[in-house]
């Protein structure tokens, strides 16, 4: 890499093969950079496989809403709560919770909404670029319909979306009742009296899309290596990435995009705590067709149609990303969703999965350079990695190859 009359990097190592890391790799390739992707397990091994697959800028509400604090006591006392905070002495978890609580202010939440708007605005265009240039997986346009037992609950949801819009994110909604509601969501049970349709959204099967993105990256010339990255270091001319077992890789730049495992590699530069918010999902057969995503805000459950099945996703479990899965969490998700949905064969659920979503305490991801020698970070998108991952890859690739930080990334400084 030459400074002065600057020549961009010719080679890059991307640590992490989830949707964010692979998107960075793909867009770097668009700019002529030779890429090696390293992941300790393989493509989509973290939060990028069994998630809901929503591409829904109209729902990317940051988690640090002021009212979220009222769920804290419930989460501590109820093991199967939708938001689960285990009783533990882990100092890292309590540091995160302290910072999170301090950021549960209207001003901090509004700042996150306005910052994330830059990623939401590029979401669909980024996906269109991927699909039109070789990523062989469908992206489906459909509204996301939220279901409610009472019209009062629906009105509260509309008010929440209005606050989100007032903070800067455009949202188009249609309220649904009676026959119109049943026509839109044939699985809605008799307990459902109202729906709120968030228009103009999309969805993917994440378990199909992210592997397709990985194949595209490899077909375009990248090397995909299965190994655990131990550390990333500045070298004499570029960077050195050390792998477990003693081997090392070198390149002009490195991007650390390891999701909930980010702290293990970036703690020397990044003081913002990143916490794993583990989500669970499973797949169930359905008796009636589903044309688009179903959102159950009261149960904190998201459902996505996959052919003749439904992927059901829920829970925010603040635990170590490598902790074993809890079967009780999948049971709790099913029981919370069951009253609102008919024609779902809950007893036939399969593909039970848990994946750790990387959370930041202020609702803003960590995207940018952390060392002058060419080490970058991309992650901590919370529940919206699928929505914002490709846009992040696009913007970060611009930064890496031009040396000029896009204005959209200024609010995501990892060293803030």
């Amino acid at each position: 890499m030459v400074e002065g009359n600057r020549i961009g990097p010719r080679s890059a190592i991307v640590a992490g093969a989830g949707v964010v890391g692979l998107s960075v790799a793909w867009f770097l390739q668009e700019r002529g950079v030779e890429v090696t992707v390293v992941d300790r397990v393989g493509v989509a091994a973290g939060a990028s496989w069994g998630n809901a697959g929503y591409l829904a800028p109209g729902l990317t509400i940051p988690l640090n809403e002021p009212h979220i604090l009222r769920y804290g006591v419930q989460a501590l006392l109820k093991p199967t709560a939708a938001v689960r905070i285990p009783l533990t002495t882990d100092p890292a978890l309590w540091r995160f919770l302290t910072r999170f609580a301090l950021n549960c202010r209207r001003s901090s939440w509004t700042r996150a909404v306005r910052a994330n708007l830059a990623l939401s605005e590029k979401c669909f265009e980024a996906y269109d670029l991927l699909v039109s240039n070789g990523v062989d997986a469908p992206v489906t346009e459909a509204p996301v319909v939220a279901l409610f037992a009472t019209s009062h609950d629906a009105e509260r949801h509309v008010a929440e979306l209005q606050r989100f819009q007032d903070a800067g994110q455009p949202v188009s909604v249609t309220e649904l009742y009676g026959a119109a509601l049943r026509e839109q969501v044939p699985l809605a049970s008799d307990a459902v009296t109202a729906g709120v349709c968030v228009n103009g959204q999309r969805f993917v099967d994440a378990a199909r899309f992210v592997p397709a993105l990985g194949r595209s990256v490899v077909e375009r010339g990248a090397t995909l290596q299965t190994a655990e990255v131990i550390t990333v270091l500045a070298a004499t001319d570029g960077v050195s990435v050390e792998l477990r077992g003693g081997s090392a890789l070198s390149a002009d730049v490195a991007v650390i995009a390891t999701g909930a495992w980010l702290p293990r590699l970036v703690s020397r530069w990044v003081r913002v705590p990143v916490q794993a918010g583990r989500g669970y999902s499973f797949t169930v057969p359905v008796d009636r067709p589903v044309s688009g995503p179903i959102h159950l805000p009261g149960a904190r459950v998201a459902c996505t149609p996959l052919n003749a099945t439904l992927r059901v996703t829920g829970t925010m479990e603040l635990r170590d990303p490598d902790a074993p899965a809890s079967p009780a969490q999948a049971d709790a998700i099913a029981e919370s969703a069951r009253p609102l949905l008919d024609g779902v064969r809950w007893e036939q659920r399969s593909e039970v999965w848990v994946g750790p979503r990387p959370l930041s305490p202020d609702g803003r991801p960590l995207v940018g350079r952390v060392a002058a020698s060419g080490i970058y970070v991309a992650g901590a998108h919370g529940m919206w990695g699928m929505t914002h991952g490709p846009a992040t890859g696009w913007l970060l690739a611009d930064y890496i190859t031009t040396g000029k930080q896009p204005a959209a990334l200024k609010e995501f400084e990892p060293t803030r």
Side-chain angles (χ1 to χ4, degrees):
M1 191 186 313
V2 178
E3 302 295 335
N5 291 327
R6 189 179 186 282
I7 300 175
R10 295 183 177 88
S11 60
I13 298 167
V14 178
V19 66
V20 176
L22 291 172
S23 294
V24 175
W26 196 94
F27 281 100
L28 283 173
Q29 290 176 311
E30 281 289 279
R31 289 150 181 79
V33 179
E34 181 181 342
V35 178
T36 298
V37 180
V38 185
D39 193 280
R40 64 177 190 156
V41 178
V43 170
S48 291
W49 186 85
N51 66 72
Y54 285 17
L55 312 183
L59 289 172
T60 55
I61 300 173
L63 191 61
N64 57 314
E65 290 182 284
H67 76 265
I68 197 70
L69 290 178
R70 74 170 179 261
Y71 291 103
V73 173
Q74 177 196 42
L76 285 169
L77 298 179
K78 186 178 179 183
T80 57
V83 179
R84 186 184 176 198
I85 306 173
L87 291 170
T88 177
T89 58
D90 178 9
L93 173 58
W94 291 106
R95 280 197 299 272
F96 172 83
L97 290 173
T98 300
R99 288 278 293 272
F100 179 76
L102 292 173
N103 278 284
C104 287
R105 308 186 312 273
R106 183 63 58 186
S107 59
S108 181
W109 178 81
T110 300
R111 182 177 183 179
V113 172
R114 292 174 178 170
N116 290 326
L117 179 60
L119 298 179
S120 291
E121 288 176 339
K122 294 184 81 70
C123 167
F124 297 153
E125 187 178 0
Y127 270 94
D128 289 343
L129 281 170
L130 294 175
V131 172
S132 64
N133 288 280
V135 178
D136 186 17
V139 175
T140 304
E141 295 187 22
V144 178
V145 182
L147 302 181
F148 301 93
T150 71
S151 58
H152 175 69
D153 290 338
E155 289 165 4
R156 288 199 308 174
H157 187 62
V158 170
E160 180 182 28
L161 293 173
Q162 183 62 55
R163 288 192 296 272
F164 188 36
Q165 178 162 280
D166 292 344
Q169 172 63 55
V171 183
S172 168
V173 302
T174 303
E175 296 184 50
L176 298 172
Y177 301 94
L181 173 58
R182 262 67 198 179
E183 181 179 358
Q184 184 70 44
V185 187
L187 292 180
S189 74
D190 290 341
V192 174
T193 65
V196 176
C197 184
V198 180
N199 303 307
Q201 310 303 297
R202 301 183 186 181
F203 70 94
V204 297
D205 176 359
R208 180 175 174 183
F209 189 92
V210 182
L213 176 57
R215 288 193 299 273
S216 178
V217 168
V218 171
E219 288 166 0
R220 289 153 59 94
T223 299
L224 178 60
Q225 185 167 342
T226 303
E228 183 177 0
V229 175
I230 300 302
T231 189
V232 181
L233 301 169
T236 304
D237 185 18
V239 297
S240 175
V241 175
E242 297 186 5
L243 309 178
R244 184 171 297 282
S247 61
L249 302 172
S250 60
D252 292 332
V253 298
V255 180
I256 303 171
T258 51
W261 294 270
L262 272 176
R264 301 180 187 181
L265 294 176
V266 306
S267 58
R268 80 191 74 175
W269 307 290
V270 177
R271 296 292 174 260
V272 179
V274 176
Q275 173 63 43
R278 299 179 356 138
Y280 286 73
S281 75
F282 53 84
T283 302
V284 286
V286 292
D287 296 333
R288 294 187 286 278
V290 182
S291 60
I294 302 169
H295 185 204
L296 308 177
R300 295 183 176 266
V301 168
C303 306
T304 311
L306 302 174
N307 299 318
T309 68
L310 199 66
R311 175 164 293 150
V312 182
T313 310
T315 303
M316 178 63 72
E317 183 184 50
L318 304 187
R319 294 185 68 192
D320 183 277
D322 293 313
S326 169
Q329 292 299 319
D331 293 339
I333 293 169
E335 289 310 304
S336 65
R338 188 189 300 268
L340 298 173
L341 299 176
D342 281 342
V344 178
R345 286 174 256 164
W346 300 103
E347 70 284 355
Q348 296 180 32
R349 69 176 182 255
S350 61
E351 298 181 320
V352 178
W353 170 89
V354 60
R357 298 162 294 199
L359 309 175
S360 75
D362 59 10
R364 290 177 281 147
L366 310 177
V367 185
R369 189 166 63 184
V370 295
S373 55
I375 301 174
Y376 298 79
V377 168
H381 293 80
M383 297 180 293
W384 303 111
M386 285 303 301
T387 297
H388 288 157
T392 296
W394 186 353
L395 291 167
L396 186 57
D398 280 347
Y399 188 6
I400 292 169
T401 54
T402 67
K404 299 177 181 179
Q405 183 187 45
L409 296 185
K410 292 185 184 300
E411 282 289 298
F412 305 144
E413 282 280 5
T415 55
R416 59 183 181 266

